[in-house]
Amino acid sequence: MINSNKVSIVGGAGHVGAPLGLVLSSKGYNVALIDKNQKNIKKINQGEMPFVEEGCKKLLKRMIYKKKIFATNQLNEVKNSKFIIICIGTPVKNKRDPNLKNFLNFFYDLKKYLKKNHIIIVRSSIYPGTCDKVFGIIKNKCKNLSYCPERIAQGQSLKELPNISQIISATNNKAKLESRIIFKKICKKVINAEIAEAELIKLFSNAYRYINFSISNQFYMMCQNQGLNFNKVRNLMRDNYARNENIPKAGFTAGPCLMKDTMQLSSFYNHSFKLCRSAMIINEDLPLYIIKKLSEKNNLRKKTVGVLGLSFKAENDDIRDSLSIKLLKHLKSKKIKTLQSDEYYKDKQNINKNILIKRSDIIIIGTPHKAYKKLKIGSNKILIDVWGVIKK
Ligand SMILES: NC(=O)c1ccc[n+]([C@@H]2O[C@H](COP(=O)([O-])OP(=O)(O)OC[C@H]3O[C@@H](n4cnc5c(N)ncnc54)[C@H](O)[C@@H]3O)[C@@H](O)[C@H]2O)c1
């Protein structure tokens, strides 16, 4: 018997799946978080979030206590869930083309448990045309497939999920209506799109952000070459001049989504997406540019370089595709002595931020954690603060 109040989330112990499951459970659904990652399953069932996501720890404890949510590695949990939401990863191979094999293979596994009244919602960010392929795999068992992409900013799910509009696209009316019902419970506004439109909306959004950040990173490099401070230039550009208001700060543009989704879009456009190539070169080469500029005036082999902040974004512990980590690797490969610190990401090589400042000749801010805003860094040290975090 299918239980209309039960939701199974596959990839449920991940950054997208777990917060979504928590929000749904807080609205009365019984949620099964299905995942392969045993370590994270165990943590969740003990009421511990496997990663930093604002507000989730408290909500998880409450929902576990109320028995509204649990985690498991058993895919057959989907059998009696009306809604099956798919949040598994959609990686690209060699920073080029999507690796669809695992994603599509998963639907062959899922198919064994499907019945005609299930509602299957794909939430991962997918290569255009993937939903057609998924539908081809499952249609003999179930035709109710929706694509409702996740659009939250990692770390802010609980705040953002109710406030951003939810895109609903589906293969039939039943899937569309049922998806509207479930998302209406957690979002203020749901909007309809065709599947092909929804697939592009998600990728365009991430590519747009990725390219925008690269513009500021390019401006940062141009300013550095002139001995100018981009943050000051940016502030002056935006002062009482609305057209420049949205120019982002420069910084290490990284993480699991922006570049990956820009690459998916590029692959979809036969790699003729020229802006993608330029943005990727600019963003990914920023750590190398910093090292090159530093080595023009310093013998780096005689210096200690401290990297403050390792996660890819502020107030988060996620280091996936982090450019701070890339920077550290480059420095180490050049046999330069490094020190590292982070406020959220735990690593045995990390040291306290104040000790790092004391022991380093050069300090590079890798992540704009709030804890760095008021740091005092003596004028005898070289400070590289791409993000403009430290208050002067
Ligand atoms: N992280 C974000 O902020 C964000 C935002 C919007 C969209 N997305 C997209 O959502 C998707 C998931 O991203 P994420 O950051 O949550 O990744 P993640 O790696 O944190 O989570 C994915 C989870 O899926 C599990 N998994 C993988 N294959 C599985 C399988 N066959 N069966 C069961 N579990 C399986 C993994 O163990 C992992 O826990 C990606 O497509 C990503 O691009 C991510």
Side-chain angles (χ1 to χ4, degrees):
M1 263 286 279
I2 287 188
N3 177 345
S4 60
N5 203 42
K6 183 166 170 193
V7 182
S8 278
I9 302 191
V10 188
H15 291 80
V16 164
L20 177 65
L22 280 171
V23 173
L24 287 167
S25 67
S26 73
K27 298 291 176 189
Y29 287 103
N30 295 315
V31 176
L33 301 173
I34 302 170
D35 207 286
K36 281 180 165 176
N37 187 325
Q38 290 284 10
K39 211 170 115 201
N40 288 356
I41 288 173
K42 196 170 162 201
K43 277 192 178 168
I44 289 174
N45 287 333
Q46 288 169 343
E48 281 296 317
M49 276 301 285
F51 42 79
V52 173
E53 186 67 36
E54 212 180 302
C56 279
K57 198 173 167 182
K58 213 168 138 196
L59 185 57
L60 176 64
K61 284 200 190 305
R62 217 169 77 222
M63 291 301 117
I64 292 266
Y65 178 75
K66 288 187 167 180
K67 296 196 168 35
K68 294 301 289 176
I69 199 166
F70 71 100
T72 174
N73 64 354
Q74 297 300 307
L75 186 56
N76 64 11
E77 268 302 323
V78 301
K79 273 201 224 163
N80 65 349
S81 304
K82 175 164 178 179
F83 297 97
I84 304 169
I85 306 182
I86 316 303
C87 303
I88 63 180
T90 46
V92 289
K93 29 181 190 194
N94 308 325
K95 295 193 172 165
R96 238 187 104 81
D97 298 301
N99 182 358
L100 280 173
K101 205 168 136 221
N102 289 346
F103 191 79
L104 294 177
N105 279 345
F106 161 74
F107 288 91
Y108 287 103
D109 291 339
L110 179 69
K111 191 179 171 179
K112 296 173 204 153
Y113 305 107
L114 289 183
K115 295 189 191 103
K116 82 173 193 334
N117 283 330
H118 275 128
I119 306 294
I120 298 140
I121 302 176
V122 172
R123 191 128 178 100
S124 309
S125 309
I126 50 173
Y127 182 75
T130 303
C131 274
D132 265 0
K133 291 199 167 79
V134 169
F135 189 67
I137 296 168
I138 62 168
K139 68 179 179 207
N140 296 341
K141 292 291 247 350
C142 174
K143 292 190 168 48
N144 313 319
L145 175 69
S146 298
Y147 179 50
C148 305
E150 179 58 88
R151 299 199 296 165
I152 48 94
Q154 199 172 313
Q156 301 297 312
S157 303
L158 296 196
K159 255 190 231 150
E160 290 200 351
L161 268 169
N163 291 315
I164 48 183
S165 42
Q166 176 58 53
I167 293 161
I168 309 278
S169 65
T171 49
N172 62 16
N173 258 340
K174 184 178 165 73
K176 192 196 282 179
L177 288 174
E178 294 287 0
S179 303
R180 280 185 80 88
I181 289 171
I182 188 167
F183 280 109
K184 265 281 186 192
K185 288 253 171 76
I186 61 171
C187 309
K188 281 193 195 118
K189 190 173 180 195
V190 296
I191 47 180
N192 291 327
E194 297 301 320
I195 286 183
E197 291 168 347
E199 288 175 337
L200 283 182
I201 288 168
K202 175 64 205 178
L203 299 188
F204 280 171
S205 306
N206 277 358
Y208 180 71
R209 267 168 76 73
Y210 189 68
I211 292 163
N212 259 343
F213 289 133
S214 75
I215 296 172
S216 292
N217 286 339
Q218 181 77 89
F219 289 168
Y220 168 84
M221 295 181 209
M222 291 164 110
C223 282
Q224 285 296 109
N225 287 357
Q226 292 285 308
L228 296 174
N229 179 336
F230 171 64
N231 281 301
K232 185 179 171 205
V233 171
R234 175 178 170 271
N235 285 339
L236 295 172
M237 281 171 81
R238 294 163 72 241
D239 192 332
N240 199 26
Y241 195 70
R243 278 189 285 278
N244 286 345
E245 233 163 52
N246 294 329
I247 294 176
K249 286 188 168 185
F252 285 168
T253 309
C257 289
L258 295 190
M259 182 170 76
K260 185 260 293 178
D261 287 345
T262 312
M263 295 313 300
Q264 296 210 79
L265 202 51
S266 174
S267 173
F268 179 61
Y269 202 52
N270 293 326
H271 293 290
S272 302
F273 183 8
K274 292 179 185 147
L275 281 169
C276 161
R277 201 173 320 134
S278 305
M280 196 171 147
I281 293 169
I282 295 165
N283 289 334
E284 284 290 299
D285 280 1
L286 188 53
L288 283 173
Y289 170 85
I290 290 171
I291 297 173
K292 184 172 161 273
K293 288 305 279 182
L294 282 169
S295 54
E296 280 170 11
K297 289 191 179 157
N298 302 280
N299 180 354
L300 293 181
R301 290 261 176 95
K302 292 193 171 153
K303 304 278 183 196
T304 299
V305 180
V307 178
L308 269 183
L310 305 172
S311 58
F312 84 86
K313 71 186 295 186
E315 321 317 316
N316 206 285
D317 61 347
D318 193 347
I319 57 154
R320 287 181 290 175
D321 286 329
S322 159
L323 288 180
S324 303
I325 302 287
K326 188 171 175 179
L327 172 74
L328 274 170
K329 276 191 190 143
H330 281 308
L331 290 165
K332 283 176 185 163
S333 73
K334 291 178 189 299
K335 309 255 178 305
I336 297 162
K337 191 170 175 237
T338 60
L339 294 171
Q340 62 182 63
S341 178
D342 195 85
E343 301 302 295
Y344 297 86
Y345 167 69
K346 294 186 175 55
D347 186 272
K348 58 180 186 308
Q349 291 185 56
N350 286 3
I351 58 171
N352 174 279
K353 55 183 175 302
N354 294 313
I355 298 174
L356 179 142
I357 292 169
K358 212 178 269 176
R359 291 190 192 157
S360 303
D361 306 297
I362 298 168
I363 295 137
I364 303 175
I365 310 287
T367 316
H369 291 314
K370 279 186 197 139
Y372 302 154
K373 276 188 184 169
K374 290 186 180 156
L375 288 177
K376 297 263 179 290
I377 295 180
S379 54
N380 57 333
K381 314 266 178 186
I382 298 170
L383 171 67
I384 307 294
D385 183 8
V386 185
W387 310 82
V389 185
I390 296 193
K391 293 253 180 304
K392 292 261 159 49

